[in-house]
Amino acid sequence: GNTARDGADFDEDDYTVSAAALTVTKVSTIISDPFNGTTDPKMIPGATVEYCVQISNAAGGAAASNVSISDTLPTDTTYDSGFGILVNGTVSGAMCSGGSAGGSYDGGTRTVTAPVSDIAAGAARAVLSRASVT
């Protein structure tokens, strides 16, 4: 016990500290172009490109909370406001899908910003946006 009331007998213990370990990857997929449509589309003016930002949290760590992604679109593209921004999509291999409307686009900085729900250890989330090649 702590008979001297100096805490000396209470300084020996083990503590496990867990932290989230996030990995962020950006993948682009050409959806269509004005000549080939959706069959073997090329990155030419008028083509639609989908950008997927994948956020993965390593297994064995803590959940990640208050995650927000900012992604600057290339200068040779125009943001597709008709598609918008999808947040909390799913990731399967290198493919992203789903999600719900959310996030914002700043035309001055060409930046897509999106909040992402908590990401459990071993899980992943995706943010999707689209742009046209100019």
Side-chain angles (χ1 to χ4, degrees), residues 55-130:
I55 311 99
S56 302
N57 190 4
S65 58
N66 299 319
V67 177
S68 181
I69 293 299
S70 292
D71 177 37
T72 303
L73 297 181
T75 56
D76 60 347
T77 62
T78 301
Y79 171 71
D80 182 349
S81 60
F83 180 81
I85 301 166
L86 298 178
V87 299
N88 298 319
T90 58
V91 178
S92 178
M95 299 300 298
C96 302
S97 61
S100 56
S104 62
Y105 177 71
D106 181 334
T109 61
R110 307 183 50 71
T111 303
V112 170
T113 303
V116 179
S117 295
D118 292 356
I119 306 171
R125 299 254 189 263
V127 174
L128 290 94
S129 63
R130 288 188 179 175

